[in-house]
Amino acid sequence: MPTLMVNIDHIATIREARGTPYPDPVHAVAIVEMAGASGIIVHLREDRRHIKDRDVRILREVIKTKLNLEMAATAEMVKIAGEIKPDMVTLVPEKREELTTEGGLDVVTHTGKLKKSIERLHEKGIGVSLFVDPEKTQIIASHKLLADMIEIHTGAYSDAKTEKTKDEELKKIIIAAKTGKELGLKVNAGHGLHYFNIREIASIPEIDEFSIGHSIIARALFVGLDRAIRDMVALIEPGEPK
Ligand code: PXP
């Protein structure tokens, strides 16, 4: 059964909007875990625009399920991950001016840099996922680099303005998920997924785990975090939502 990892970056975004000590992303841990998520994701960006080093350190101590640290493949971040030892790392591309992670990693072009980061993380016993667009070449390259997992970028599917584009993007994700599974990779997916576009993606049997943040934190404003997570967990379970 697919599982849900909740990205809590945007709790820190609200904190940083005012520079207050609240809301503290650490306070979300118990609620996220008790509501049925399989773990927590934070993106420690190079510019520290939301999640801070302190958050990751405390989260590591408090989280009982799984901590997925999203980060760029830089020497600084690999060092931090080696010290903090998250349960897994997702390597993502990072541009300072972007609003959120915009595209997948170009694994084909940046082989050397990624290989070095993956090796260092493996030496520390940390499993590595590569965030890639739903393209066969990128997935084959990820497998060659000995990544343990891929996370398929669902942004183009989520942003599709027409049903035709949405169907085309969905097909790409289906093929990408099958390719990943055939190569023996764990297959995750995420970006831009929300309560009204998750069902079709959730019916792809090869996807093991979903990484969802913005829509859950947004819904939590109105219904609370516990309910927002339970609603999403119900939608990613196979069969009709209860
Ligand atoms: N996966 C990756 C690699 C991301 O960078 C993000 C955004 O931080 C997400 C998933 C979650 O995306 P969203 O907040 O749109 O659910």
Side-chain angles (χ1 to χ4, degrees):
M1 205 164 80
T3 54
L4 173 68
M5 294 285 287
V6 179
N7 180 313
I8 59 171
D9 290 349
H10 294 305
I11 296 178
T13 302
I14 296 172
R15 176 186 65 189
E16 297 310 312
R18 281 289 183 92
T20 47
Y22 64 85
D24 191 332
V26 173
H27 291 169
V29 173
I31 299 170
V32 175
E33 293 188 328
M34 286 192 280
S38 61
I40 287 166
I41 307 172
V42 285
H43 184 173
L44 186 65
R45 295 186 67 103
E46 291 180 274
D47 61 11
R48 309 298 199 270
R49 72 169 67 150
H50 39 49
I51 293 292
K52 311 285 182 204
D53 299 59
R54 162 267 181 211
D55 299 327
V56 187
R57 271 198 313 275
I58 303 175
L59 286 168
R60 171 64 301 178
E61 282 186 34
V62 175
I63 289 171
K64 308 264 185 309
T65 48
K66 189 163 82 177
L67 169 63
N68 175 359
L69 179 63
E70 256 181 44
M71 55 180 234
T74 63
E76 184 206 9
M77 287 298 156
V78 170
K79 183 168 177 285
I80 292 173
E83 287 159 7
I84 288 180
K85 297 215 173 65
D87 299 284
M88 62 180 277
V89 155
T90 300
L91 295 177
V92 299
E94 228 177 79
K95 288 193 220 119
R96 271 181 194 260
E97 61 283 7
E98 69 191 358
L99 275 180
T100 178
T101 318
E102 279 169 2
L105 283 168
D106 187 350
V107 187
V108 177
T109 309
H110 300 118
T111 311
K113 189 173 158 199
L114 288 168
K115 187 166 184 275
K116 210 188 265 177
S117 300
I118 294 170
E119 280 170 5
R120 298 252 154 88
L121 292 163
H122 278 167
E123 279 163 20
K124 297 281 179 185
I126 303 167
V128 182
S129 177
L130 300 183
F131 184 54
V132 290
D133 290 327
E135 287 171 20
K136 226 170 175 168
T137 49
Q138 297 294 345
I139 297 163
I140 292 168
S142 303
H143 177 250
K144 279 202 185 126
L145 284 188
L146 304 180
D148 307 280
M149 299 159 258
I150 49 163
E151 180 180 330
I152 301 172
H153 193 331
T154 53
Y157 163 81
S158 302
D159 294 341
K161 298 279 180 284
T162 63
E163 281 305 311
K164 184 172 171 282
T165 318
K166 197 175 162 199
D167 284 349
E168 285 164 6
E169 292 302 329
L170 187 63
K171 280 194 193 107
K172 286 187 202 165
I173 295 169
I174 293 170
I175 294 167
K178 281 194 198 318
T179 307
K181 264 286 120 101
E182 279 162 17
L183 292 168
L185 295 162
K186 182 168 179 242
V187 178
N188 305 332
H191 212 285
L193 296 175
H194 55 69
Y195 295 84
F196 304 101
N197 68 9
I198 185 70
R199 286 298 286 168
E200 283 154 299
I201 295 265
S203 67
I204 303 172
E206 288 82 8
I207 300 179
D208 297 297
E209 199 166 83
F210 292 95
S211 159
I212 309 181
H214 190 266
S215 61
I216 292 177
I217 303 304
R219 178 175 280 222
L221 291 173
F222 300 106
V223 303
L225 188 54
D226 177 79
R227 173 71 191 274
I229 292 168
R230 287 178 197 277
D231 287 350
M232 189 58 86
V233 168
L235 287 170
I236 65 172
E237 280 176 356
E240 282 306 302
K242 292 170 203 99

